[in-house]
Amino acid sequence: MRSLILTALVSAALALALPAFATDDLLAPLVGPDDPLAPLTSEPTKPKPKPGKPKPAKPAPGKPKPKPPVVEPSDEPEVDKPPVTKKVNAERITVRGVPPMALKSGQSATLTFRILDGAGKPIAAELLLLTNVGTITAAVEVNPGVFTATYAAPASGHDTSAVVHAEVKNAARPTSFDTKIMLVLTPPETQPIIATEPKHAPRPARVAFGDRLQATAGKTSTVRFQIEDEDGNPIVPADLKLRADSGRFENVREEGGSFVADYIAEDGAGEVTVMA
């Protein structure tokens, strides 16, 4: 009897305790999710990964990467743009070193040029030098606005002076100066005159007449002929005379390298011989 009662009490206690969990599953665990008596085999909650930087999209396999456009070379030649030259406010040019005595043939002198601004101070610029007799070297800038150049007299000639022209190439307004250098030059050697034999004109060799002419007494007939040299080339002699053993020639003239004459026959003449 005792064992049966204890069993009933235990069952009743269990039956009374079941509604306290408000569950329909009689076999569900008696612990909640936050219960400290929860089984230790449950997996801990993993933290969510942080969003990283987006990776660049890779091109689809099989498609080639786009190539940069190819620029076709132009057939037109490239035109070099002239450099921009800065203009300077040059006022005047001075020259030193002009020889006091005249230069002889082949002698030279070193000249110094200074380009000055309005205040009389040297100013950096570009200098052009020219001369009409002899030669002068290009200007070399030794200091800002100070140039040197060498003038050389010619080896010979008849000139008694030379003019050296100096000009500022990049001046805001035209700035130049001319310097005269006296010269004593050796006259050039005279070339000997070589006598040459005069060319002789080709001499006439024969007279070639045209077709045999039939002349009528008292009437004018035209005779055509040409003068030839020894090689058979037609020539025009300086003086030409025609004669015949009968009749006469008039109005002898030249036409295109040959000659034409008017022949007037006489009565009773038969065959006539003509000579030139």
Side-chain angles (χ1 to χ4, degrees), residues 7-273:
T7 301
L9 290 175
V10 171
S11 300
L14 290 174
L16 293 175
L18 286 176
F21 293 95
T23 177
D24 296 335
D25 189 358
L26 298 178
L27 298 178
L30 300 181
V31 294
D34 298 328
D35 193 338
L37 298 178
L40 298 177
T41 58
S42 60
E43 297 181 358
T45 304
K46 295 180 179 181
K48 294 182 180 181
K50 297 181 180 179
K53 296 182 179 179
K55 296 182 178 180
K58 296 182 179 180
K63 293 184 179 180
K65 296 181 179 180
K67 296 181 179 180
V70 179
V71 179
E72 295 292 339
S74 176
D75 295 335
E76 298 181 358
E78 296 183 359
V79 179
D80 295 334
K81 296 182 178 179
V84 179
T85 304
K86 182 181 179 180
K87 298 295 183 180
V88 296
N89 295 322
E91 291 291 335
R92 59 194 179 96
I93 303 173
T94 62
V95 183
R96 292 182 180 179
V98 178
M101 303 296 291
L103 293 179
K104 297 181 180 180
S105 297
Q107 290 183 338
S108 61
T110 300
L111 307 179
T112 302
F113 300 86
R114 300 178 70 196
I115 302 176
L116 306 178
D117 59 9
K121 296 181 180 179
I123 180 174
E126 298 179 13
L127 184 63
L128 174 66
L129 298 177
L130 300 171
T131 183
N132 61 336
V133 179
T135 60
I136 189 165
T137 61
V140 178
E141 190 171 14
V142 294
N143 284 312
V146 181
F147 300 82
T148 60
T150 301
Y151 170 83
S156 62
H158 300 285
D159 298 282
T160 58
S161 64
V163 175
V164 176
H165 176 78
E167 179 180 345
V168 181
K169 295 173 58 177
N170 60 334
R173 58 183 181 179
T175 304
S176 62
F177 185 78
D178 291 340
T179 303
K180 181 181 289 187
I181 299 177
M182 303 305 297
L183 303 173
V184 177
L185 304 179
T186 303
E189 296 181 0
T190 57
Q191 298 295 332
I193 300 175
I194 301 175
T196 58
E197 296 183 359
K199 295 182 179 180
H200 297 286
R203 303 185 63 178
R206 70 189 186 93
V207 181
F209 288 91
D211 297 335
R212 193 177 183 88
L213 178 64
Q214 297 292 332
T216 303
K219 293 185 178 181
T220 302
S221 303
T222 302
V223 180
R224 293 184 177 275
F225 61 97
Q226 68 180 17
I227 310 299
E228 298 177 355
D229 61 9
E230 296 178 353
D231 298 327
N233 300 318
I235 61 175
V236 180
D239 189 17
L240 177 64
K241 293 180 181 180
L242 293 178
R243 70 177 184 271
D245 54 4
S246 176
R248 67 183 187 277
F249 286 95
E250 294 180 353
N251 192 21
V252 181
R253 56 196 181 275
E254 179 190 357
E255 290 184 0
S258 61
F259 295 89
V260 179
D262 298 332
Y263 174 70
I264 302 174
E266 294 180 353
D267 293 339
E271 188 170 315
V272 177
T273 301

